[in-house]
Amino acid sequence: TGYYPITRADLNCFIQYDFSFVTKEIFVSRKKQYSTISEIGSSTQLQTIYVGKEPFKLRLYNKKEELKKSKKKDLMYEYFANNDFDLEADIFNVEFELHRSYLKTFSIFTIEDLLTNAVNLFKSSMDDIRLIDITTLSKNAVEHNNKHRGETLAIWEKIKQEYELK
């Protein structure tokens, strides 16, 4: 028919930055309902964190750690080298998983709709789930999970502002 409905999209951005300091306490979401934030890592270092659940979820993870077990390792390292990444430094992935019901709320029904709106959708997602500086909040605000007034971390804003679709 020529109609290609989109059922899921993953919008991501590889970042040359060490996010291993991140904990669930420094995330804030505009979403009224989201699942418990889950973390994978050691006592001193984050490997992966998930925020939210279908149909809208954020994954922040150590891409180099993930590639240790991947058949795509050589391809990805070639991609990183071709895009001026320092292969000795940390590389994290900021990735939003968006399902059909969520995409429909933005009038995104086809692949073309997604490609046209991907940049704005990524930026909107960065606003919906923010990484904040909890030192800008009172102890009381943090303890009672009233963190919406916390300042967004500069790196989160930088990612949002510089995101582009290639």
Side-chain angles (χ1 to χ4, degrees):
T1 64
Y3 176 64
Y4 300 103
I6 189 147
T7 57
R8 173 181 158 176
D10 291 350
L11 299 177
N12 80 302
C13 187
F14 297 117
I15 307 297
Q16 188 91 68
Y17 191 81
D18 181 6
F19 279 107
S20 64
F21 68 92
V22 170
T23 63
K24 62 184 178 182
E25 288 76 27
I26 64 175
F27 277 99
V28 65
S29 174
R30 284 188 189 169
K31 300 300 177 192
K32 296 283 187 228
Q33 296 195 357
Y34 59 93
S35 66
T36 304
I37 299 171
S38 59
E39 301 167 286
I40 301 168
S42 69
S43 62
T44 58
Q45 193 173 46
L46 171 79
Q47 184 176 331
T48 303
I49 191 164
Y50 298 91
V51 180
K53 61 181 182 179
E54 289 184 20
F56 175 74
K57 177 176 12 182
L58 165 70
R59 276 189 296 275
L60 174 66
Y61 62 93
N62 184 327
K63 187 64 178 176
K64 286 175 64 177
E65 193 65 33
E66 181 209 38
L67 287 174
K68 288 179 181 177
K69 305 173 261 196
S70 176
K71 294 176 183 175
K72 298 178 186 176
K73 181 179 180 179
D74 292 339
L75 177 67
M76 288 306 302
Y77 272 87
E78 182 179 339
Y79 170 83
F80 292 139
N82 289 337
N83 285 279
D84 300 321
F85 280 79
D86 176 353
L87 300 180
E88 300 302 315
D90 293 300
I91 301 172
F92 273 73
N93 191 19
V94 176
E95 180 177 87
F96 292 97
E97 180 181 312
L98 314 169
H99 289 258
R100 185 177 181 89
S101 61
Y102 184 78
L103 293 168
K104 283 180 175 180
T105 63
F106 292 90
S107 298
I108 296 174
F109 300 101
T110 66
I111 293 169
E112 291 78 19
D113 294 339
L114 176 69
L115 293 174
T116 301
N117 294 290
V119 172
N120 288 335
L121 190 55
F122 185 88
K123 290 179 178 188
S124 172
S125 298
M126 294 286 290
D127 287 335
D128 286 343
I129 299 177
R130 295 184 302 126
L131 196 56
I132 62 165
D133 180 355
I134 59 172
T135 65
T136 63
L137 296 168
S138 69
K139 185 178 178 183
N140 187 47
V142 174
E143 286 175 359
H144 293 93
N145 202 26
N146 188 9
K147 303 182 289 188
H148 293 279
R149 292 186 181 163
E151 291 181 23
T152 304
L153 283 180
I155 186 64
W156 207 249
E157 278 298 323
K158 183 172 178 59
I159 294 165
K160 182 178 112 178
Q161 294 309 318
E162 295 189 11
Y163 184 79
E164 60 184 29
L165 191 63
K166 289 187 177 183

